[in-house]
Amino acid sequence: MNIQIRGQNVCLVLVSILLLWTRVECIRFDLESGHTKCIAEDIKSNSMTVGKYQIVNLNEGQPLPDSHKITVRVTSSYGNSYHYSDNVNEGHFAFQAAEAGDYMACFFAADHKPSTTITIDFDWKSGVAAKDWTNVAKKGSVELMELELKKMFDTVQSIHDEMFYLREREEEMQQLNKSTNSKMAWLSFLSLFVSLSVAGLQLWHLKSFFQKKKLI
């Protein structure tokens, strides 16, 4: 009976890992000329990230119009530029994130008269999903089962790193909350002190006024 329960637990763990490892399909969006559209991705420090973008040719068999050109820039949350490409219809980027945070991929289409709409396919992966497992299998000549285990191990490692990253973010938020609460407490005390001081001055002024008028 214990063996069956352990077997079920192992199956649940494997299913959870496989669900987390599921590949994310690329996204497709429309971009009007003269406008900019940005997509954010939260990337951990020292994580590999790769992206590929392409303008979709809705008229198959015909070349893309000259108006179908875009400018692409990828920047970190600190404003550092990791990729820039101007007046292109497709491209790709790959880099290792030097800093953690939200990275922005911004697409800009030059203004045209009349206005045109460009359809773009964009595939952005980071961490375990950014690895080219096909080349890993070819170079290492590993068997299928070994390759799957390697994928699972990297996925578990990624989850482990993500948990520590979230814990660090939680500690930072707790420190921020403590600092904010402390400042609010001092501000409340200062406001109370000012209010009592003003009330005291008003009473003193009224008392002096009534004494001068010999009403007291």
Side-chain angles (χ1 to χ4, degrees):
M1 184 66 181
N2 292 334
I3 295 176
Q4 291 179 353
I5 293 175
R6 290 178 182 176
Q8 291 176 355
N9 292 335
V10 171
C11 290
L12 289 174
V13 172
L14 291 177
V15 169
S16 300
I17 293 174
L18 288 174
L19 288 174
L20 288 169
W21 176 74
T22 302
R23 178 174 296 225
V24 178
E25 298 293 336
C26 65
I27 61 175
R28 174 173 290 190
F29 59 92
D30 293 332
L31 178 63
E32 294 184 9
S33 58
H35 290 75
T36 300
K37 183 168 290 188
C38 295
I39 298 173
E41 176 78 5
D42 186 18
I43 303 177
K44 300 192 300 294
S45 178
N46 298 322
S47 293
M48 188 66 187
T49 181
V50 295
K52 182 179 180 182
Y53 51 89
Q54 181 180 13
I55 296 178
V56 179
N57 190 354
L58 300 178
N59 298 321
E60 296 183 2
Q62 298 181 5
L64 283 171
D66 295 335
S67 59
H68 282 47
K69 299 288 184 180
I70 56 175
T71 298
V72 183
R73 182 187 295 274
V74 181
T75 57
S76 68
S77 56
Y78 295 95
N80 298 322
S81 180
Y82 283 83
H83 173 75
Y84 178 78
S85 188
D86 185 29
N87 199 30
V88 297
N89 51 36
E90 63 179 353
H92 66 276
F93 58 86
F95 59 87
Q96 188 172 8
E99 50 203 5
D102 288 333
Y103 284 71
M104 299 287 292
C106 293
F107 299 81
F108 170 73
D111 194 12
H112 286 279
K113 300 296 182 182
S115 178
T116 59
T117 300
I118 301 174
T119 302
I120 302 173
D121 278 342
F122 182 42
D123 188 10
W124 195 357
K125 301 174 184 176
S126 59
V128 177
K131 289 189 176 181
D132 190 349
W133 291 104
T134 303
N135 290 335
V136 172
K138 290 179 179 177
K139 292 178 182 179
S141 299
V142 294
E143 295 181 356
L144 181 60
M145 182 60 70
E146 185 178 353
L147 179 62
E148 292 297 328
L149 291 174
K150 195 170 176 58
K151 293 178 184 178
M152 291 182 183
F153 174 78
D154 279 7
T155 303
V156 172
Q157 186 66 38
S158 177
I159 296 171
H160 181 265
D161 294 340
E162 184 71 21
M163 290 177 64
F164 275 96
Y165 172 71
L166 292 176
R167 184 178 297 175
E168 291 177 358
R169 294 290 294 270
E170 182 181 1
E171 291 177 355
E172 291 177 359
M173 292 300 297
Q174 288 178 354
Q175 291 294 331
L176 180 61
N177 288 335
K178 289 180 180 179
S179 176
T180 303
N181 292 335
S182 177
K183 292 178 181 179
M184 290 299 297
W186 278 106
L187 181 61
S188 300
F189 177 77
L190 181 61
S191 300
L192 179 61
F193 176 77
V194 172
S195 299
L196 292 176
S197 300
V198 172
L201 288 173
Q202 288 178 342
L203 289 175
W204 176 80
H205 176 72
L206 289 173
K207 183 178 180 181
S208 301
F209 175 78
F210 289 136
Q211 285 177 346
K212 288 181 181 180
K213 296 294 183 178
K214 297 181 180 181
L215 296 176
I216 297 179

